[in-house]
Amino acid sequence: IHNVIFESSQEASILVAREIANLIQRKNELNEPCVLGLATGSSPIKVYEELVRMHKEEGLSFANVVTFNLDEYYPMDKNDMQSYYHFMHEHLFHHVDIPSENINIPDGQVSAEELQQYCIDYEMKIISYGGLDFQLLGIGRTGHIGFNEPGSHVNSGTRSITLDHITRVDAASSFLGIDNVPRKAITMGIGTVRNAKRIVLLGWGISKAGIIKKTIEGKVSSQVPATYLQEHDNTTFVLDTEASSELT
Ligand code: F6R
C-alpha cells in the first residue's frame, strides 16, 4: 500500500473522483461495464459530489456503471432516512444516469430465513461481473472496512455481522440515540474487498489518526481488519493532514 496526503479532503476527493471518472470512460470505450464498489458515511460525500458535477457539467455518463454497495444496516427499511439505500440515492444515484437495474445495495429487509442465501447471491453477483474494478472505502474507528468488525476473517464473504459497540456509538447521533442504532448489518467480506482490482481508502480528520496509524504501521491482524489491505498490491490510502498526523 502507499499513502498520499493532502491538505484538504476537498482537493483529495476531486482527484479520487477523477480517477473513477477515467476508469468509467476507459471501460466505456471498451464497451465493458465498470464495476464499482461503493461506501457510504461522511468520508466519500465529496467524491460523489464531484462525480455528480462531472455528470452535469462535463457529460460524464454512468450508463455503463454497475455498483455494489459495501453494506447496509440490518434490519433496515430502504425508505428509512438512515438507510444506506437512501444515502446513496440522495448523494449519487438520483443525480446521474445510472440504470436502476445496475444498482446493488444489500437489502436490509430480507427475512431472517433468506438472509444467508441472499448474502451468497450478492457475492456471486459480484463474481459474475468478473469482480470489482474499483472499491472505495472509508474506515471506522474499530478498524472496520465495510462493516467487517474486529475478528473478521481474511477470506470472509458477504454475510451478516454484529456491529461493534464503538461503531454503534459513532452512529448514535444520526439515529438520535444509540438505542435506535441497529445491532446488525449485512456487509461484503474482507475477501470480497480484497478481490477488487483497485482499492482507495479515504481517511479524513483527527478522529481517524489513531486507527490510520494502526492500519498502515501495525502488524496485520484480524483485530484491525483494515490491516489486511497491507497485503493488497493496488491500494492507496488517501488522507488529509489530520488523519495522517500520527504516522511516523
Ligand atoms: C460505510 C462503511 C463504513 C464507513 C466507516 C467510516 O459504507 O462501509 O466502513 O466507511 O464507518 O464512516 P465515516 O466515513 O462516516 O467516518
Side-chain angles (χ1 to χ4, degrees):
I1 54 172
H2 67 283
N3 332 319
V4 285
I5 298 163
F6 292 86
E7 277 194 19
S8 77
S9 59
Q10 175 73 21
E11 170 194 10
S13 297
I14 288 173
L15 282 177
V16 172
R18 202 165 292 163
E19 176 177 338
I20 295 171
N22 288 342
L23 180 63
I24 292 172
Q25 278 161 344
R26 193 148 26 96
K27 287 286 186 174
N28 195 20
E29 282 157 21
L30 296 168
N31 249 317
E32 287 176 9
C34 181
V35 187
L36 302 178
L38 298 179
T40 61
S42 60
S43 305
I45 287 180
K46 295 196 195 85
V47 173
Y48 298 148
E49 233 172 66
E50 176 65 7
L51 286 170
V52 169
R53 191 200 63 76
M54 285 192 250
H55 170 69
K56 296 209 158 124
E57 296 177 12
E58 297 171 9
L60 174 68
S61 172
F62 288 71
N64 66 320
V65 174
V66 176
T67 62
F68 288 91
N69 263 81
L70 279 165
D71 42 20
E72 178 62 279
Y73 291 108
Y74 186 82
M76 175 57 74
D77 187 321
K78 49 162 76 68
N79 299 312
D80 202 316
M81 290 284 286
Q82 277 91 23
S83 75
Y84 286 169
Y85 180 96
H86 178 83
F87 177 99
M88 287 309 301
H89 285 79
E90 187 84 354
H91 290 280
L92 184 64
F93 299 144
H94 278 327
H95 312 288
V96 297
D97 62 337
I98 184 168
S100 61
E101 64 271 22
N102 289 8
I103 297 170
N104 300 279
I105 304 173
D107 180 358
Q109 282 165 293
V110 71
S111 73
E113 297 73 50
E114 291 166 313
L115 184 54
Q116 196 181 1
Q117 188 59 45
Y118 177 84
C119 291
I120 293 168
D121 293 346
Y122 197 82
E123 190 76 25
M124 293 308 288
K125 193 165 181 188
I126 296 172
I127 293 169
S128 77
Y129 280 100
L132 303 163
D133 294 309
F134 182 105
Q135 175 65 58
L136 189 61
L137 295 174
I139 185 169
R141 285 196 297 145
T142 59
H144 71 214
I145 49 176
F147 275 138
N148 291 281
E149 298 287 17
S152 293
H153 193 274
V154 63
N155 288 326
S156 50
T158 303
R159 68 202 187 289
S160 69
I161 191 154
T162 300
L163 296 173
D164 247 54
H165 182 65
I166 296 175
T167 299
R168 293 182 66 240
V169 168
D170 285 347
S173 65
S174 58
F175 281 89
L176 307 175
I178 191 162
D179 293 340
N180 302 323
V181 182
R183 293 184 178 275
K184 296 195 151 207
I186 299 172
T187 185
M188 282 187 201
I190 297 290
T192 326
V193 169
R194 275 170 33 118
N195 279 333
K197 298 174 187 83
R198 166 82 174 132
I199 300 174
V200 172
L201 185 147
L202 311 174
W204 319 131
I206 199 70
S207 67
K208 300 288 170 74
I211 195 62
I212 287 290
K213 181 183 175 66
K214 282 188 195 160
T215 296
I216 294 175
E217 296 177 357
K219 80 171 195 336
V220 178
S221 153
S222 69
Q223 287 317 298
V224 182
T227 57
Y228 289 129
L229 296 173
Q230 290 180 21
E231 296 168 344
H232 185 273
D233 59 15
N234 194 14
T235 292
T236 303
F237 280 62
V238 178
L239 309 171
D240 65 5
T241 34
E242 289 184 348
S244 63
S245 59
E246 286 187 30
L247 295 176
T248 47

